Amino acid sequence: KFLADYKRIPGTYLAMQAEGREWMDLFTRESIEQFDYVITDSMTVTDFHGQRMRLWMEDETTVGNPEEFMEMLVSRIEKIMSSEMLDIYVNPTFLPAELQDRYDELWTESRMNKVINALAENNIAMEINAVRRIPSLKFVSGAKRKGVKFTFGTNNKGSEDLFDPSYWLEAIDKCGLTPDDMWSPDND
C-alpha cells in the first residue's frame, strides 16, 4: 500500500530501512526491489543462545565475555552481509555502551578484515556515521583499500545532527576519500 500510494518527489530516492533480522521474511523480493536501496545494521542480532539483542538497549544486551561477544557480533555481521538484500551497512561497528570505550581494542585487525571482506565480496557500501563517529578511520582506510564504497549518515538522532559534517570531513581528509569512493543508487 505504501508503494502504491507513494508520490515520488523528482530527484529523490526511495530507501527501505530494514530493522531486525526477520525483515527478509516479512517482505517479498518484488516489494524490496521497488526501493532504490536498502539499509540495515547489526544493532539487532541473536546471540549464541538464540536470545535477540538490540545492542543500543542496555537492558536487552548481555555482553558477558567481551572477546566471545565480539566473535559472535562479527559472525552475525558476516551472515547479514551474505544473506540479506542490502545496499548499505549503517551504524557500522556499533558496540553496546559497556564496550564502546574499548572500541579500538576490540575491533582488531582480524575482525575488521572479516567485516571489510564481507562488504567487498557482497558489494555493500558502508555508512560513515557522523554522530557516532563510526567506523574508525582505520576501518574506513582498510575498507577503501578493498574497494568498499561509502555513504554519509547520522542515524537521524535529531535535526541538529544532520548538519555536523566534521567526522565526514575528517574521513575525507585523513582517508583520502574521493567522489569515486562514494556510493549512490545510480552507480550500484
Side-chain angles (χ1 to χ4, degrees), residues 2 13-17 35-39:
F2 168 79
Y13 297 107
L14 184 60
M16 174 186 239
Q17 180 176 352
F35 291 87
D36 295 307
Y37 61 97
V38 177
I39 66 173

Side-chain angles (χ1 to χ4, degrees), residues 120-166:
E121 289 167 9
N122 294 288
N123 194 32
I124 298 169
M126 182 169 57
E127 173 191 71
I128 299 172
N129 187 298
V131 173
R132 293 195 165 109
R133 299 179 66 83
I134 54 176
S136 68
L137 297 180
K138 184 176 181 180
F139 208 111
V140 172
S141 293
K144 176 183 164 64
R145 283 191 298 277
K146 282 292 253 183
V148 172
K149 300 293 185 186
F150 302 94
T151 64
F152 295 131
T154 64
N155 203 37
N156 295 332
K157 291 175 70 176
S159 61
E160 69 279 358
D161 297 328
L162 296 175
F163 303 104
D164 181 8
S166 60

